[in-house]
Amino acid sequence: MNIVFMGTPDFAVPSLKILIEEFNVSAVFTQPDRKKGRGKKLAITPVKEIALENNVPVYQPVKLRTDEECIKALRDLKPDFIVVVAFGQILSKEVLDIPKYGCINLHGSLLPKYRGSAPIQHSIIMGEKVSGNTTMLMDVGIDTGDMLLKDQVEVKEDMTSGELYDILKNKGADLLVDTLKKYSKGEITPIKQEDDKSTHASMLNKDMAKIDWSKTSEEIHNLIRGLNPWPVAYTSYKDENMKIYKSQVLNKESTKSPGTIINVNKEGIEISCGKGVILLEVIQFPNGKPLSVAQYINGHSIEEQEILK
C-alpha cells in the first residue's frame, strides 16, 4: 500500500513511525522549517525528523493548495492513501481527489464534537469525562468528513490536556493502521457526521488563560488542567502574574468574594470561587520555576485575605 503522510507536530510522530513499519510511505509533507527559541535557530518539524531518519522524501510547501510543483509531485507519487495527522494546512479538493482510496485524517476528539485545531484542550476545559480519537474521510470542510473508526479514553478528573494528548497520540497510531487495513478491504462503512451535534475547538491563545474567579471551582479547575502545558492558566497576585499548573476542587463553600485567598498551607492555596472552593497546588511566578505551594512558601509568603484578580 503506497501512502503519502502529511503531519507536523509530535502528535503525528507515533502515526508516522507505525505507518513506516506497516506500509510503504513514499513521501512526507510537513510545514516549513521555522525559527525557534531565543537564538532564532531554524528548527525542523518533529515529523520531518522521523522522515529523514527513515530516508523518506520530504516536501515542505508553504501553502500546498497553491503549490503547483508539490501538487504535481503528489500526483506522480500515485498514492493509495493520503494520511493526515495535524498537518496544519487545509487541503483543496484538487489534492483530496489525488489518492486512489481517499484522504484519511486522524482527529483527537470523538467527532462531531470538537472540530477544529485544539480538540484535546477544549474537551478538558469543558469537563468531558470521555474523549478519544476519530479517523475520517476528509472533505473540503474542517473535520466534517464521514467517520470511519473511533476509540475512547476515560478522562479522569485531574488529567491535564498534556496527559490526554500523550495518550491519544499513541492510541491514534494504532487506530490509523486498523482503519487503513479495514477500509482498503471494504470492511468499514463510513458514517456521516450529525452537523447539528458538532462543536468547534478554536485555537488556543493567552487571553483565554486568565482566570475568572466568578466561575465555579469546577470550571476553573477544568480551565487549569485544560491549559496545561500551554498556555497555562494565570491570575494576578499583588499585580504579579501567577501561573497555575495544578489544582483540586474542594468539597467546601465560601462566603468570601470570588478570588479571595482563604487559607494557605503546605497542601496549597484555598481560593473562594463564584461557587465552591479550589485548592491551587502548583504555581509559578515570573522568572521562577513551577513549584508546589509547599516549596514556594518555604522562602516566600502568600497572604491570606488577598484577592486574586
Side-chain angles (χ1 to χ4, degrees):
M1 205 183 291
N2 178 24
I3 288 169
V4 169
F5 185 83
M6 297 183 180
T8 298
D10 66 326
F11 187 83
V13 165
S15 294
L16 177 56
K17 282 182 174 178
I18 200 167
L19 293 180
I20 289 171
E21 288 172 15
E22 295 274 346
F23 308 106
N24 171 43
V25 178
S26 56
V28 161
F29 283 66
T30 189
Q31 295 276 44
D33 299 345
R34 296 238 159 86
K35 290 179 180 178
K36 279 190 175 179
R38 291 181 181 177
K40 295 294 179 186
K41 288 184 179 177
L42 212 56
I44 66 174
T45 72
V47 159
K48 181 178 178 179
E49 193 174 333
I50 300 303
L52 295 177
E53 284 174 10
N54 290 275
N55 300 309
V56 179
V58 176
Y59 296 83
Q60 295 182 273
V62 174
K63 195 177 283 186
L64 177 57
R65 62 191 303 144
T66 58
D67 191 323
E68 293 303 324
E69 197 174 316
C70 276
I71 291 173
K72 183 185 181 304
L74 198 49
R75 289 188 195 282
D76 292 342
L77 287 163
K78 295 183 168 57
D80 293 311
F81 285 106
I82 292 175
V83 174
V84 181
V85 184
F87 178 38
Q89 295 190 30
I90 295 172
L91 304 189
S92 64
K93 188 172 188 308
E94 182 183 13
V95 170
L96 293 171
D97 288 343
I98 289 173
K100 180 179 178 181
Y101 294 109
C103 294
I104 288 183
N105 175 237
L106 171 69
H107 185 73
S109 83
L110 298 175
L111 290 170
K113 274 190 167 184
Y114 306 111
R115 295 173 178 172
S117 58
I120 296 170
Q121 295 88 343
H122 280 279
S123 65
I124 297 270
I125 291 168
M126 296 307 293
E128 298 289 354
K129 305 299 183 192
V130 177
S131 183
N133 289 303
T134 305
T135 51
M136 64 176 171
L137 289 172
M138 294 179 70
D139 59 18
V140 292
I142 297 174
D143 303 323
T144 54
D146 291 355
M147 300 178 293
L148 299 173
L149 294 180
K150 291 184 180 185
D151 62 13
Q152 291 194 357
V153 172
E154 180 191 354
V155 180
K156 295 178 180 175
E157 61 183 26
D158 60 346
M159 185 182 282
T160 66
S161 66
E163 291 166 342
L164 180 58
Y165 180 98
D166 287 342
I167 292 168
L168 293 184
K169 77 177 182 183
N170 291 310
K171 285 178 71 70
D174 293 328
L175 188 69
L176 258 181
V177 170
D178 200 22
T179 300
L180 289 168
K181 287 180 176 177
K182 288 179 177 175
Y183 186 70
S184 62
K185 293 176 187 172
E187 294 174 3
I188 300 175
T189 302
I191 299 170
K192 290 203 175 299
Q193 294 189 44
E194 296 180 73
D195 291 338
D196 59 338
K197 293 184 179 176
S198 71
T199 57
H200 181 66
S202 59
M203 285 181 71
L204 301 180
N205 60 66
K206 291 182 179 179
D207 292 339
M208 68 189 294
K210 186 169 175 60
I211 294 171
D212 176 359
W213 294 105
S214 69
K215 293 194 171 183
T216 68
S217 54
E218 195 169 308
E219 287 172 320
I220 294 167
H221 173 64
N222 291 341
L223 181 74
I224 290 167
R225 61 198 186 97
L227 299 183
N228 178 352
W230 192 90
V232 187
Y234 72 95
T235 188
S236 179
Y237 171 77
K238 291 190 171 182
D239 297 324
E240 201 171 27
N241 270 7
M242 179 172 75
K243 290 183 176 180
I244 303 158
Y245 286 83
K246 191 178 178 189
S247 61
Q248 184 186 145
V249 175
L250 298 180
N251 187 21
K252 283 185 177 182
E253 293 297 332
S254 170
T255 56
K256 300 280 187 183
S257 299
T260 302
I261 298 173
I262 53 181
N263 191 18
V264 181
N265 56 48
K266 288 184 179 180
E267 299 300 314
I269 307 166
E270 293 183 16
I271 313 291
S272 178
C273 305
K275 183 176 184 295
V277 175
I278 194 168
L279 182 74
L280 310 184
E281 297 176 306
V282 178
I283 59 174
Q284 180 185 22
F285 282 94
N287 303 316
K289 295 177 181 177
L291 297 170
S292 68
V293 170
Q295 290 172 315
Y296 185 80
I297 62 176
N298 254 339
H300 307 82
S301 65
I302 297 282
E303 293 181 18
E304 294 178 3
Q305 305 311 314
E306 191 74 26
I307 298 178
L308 301 175
K309 302 287 173 59

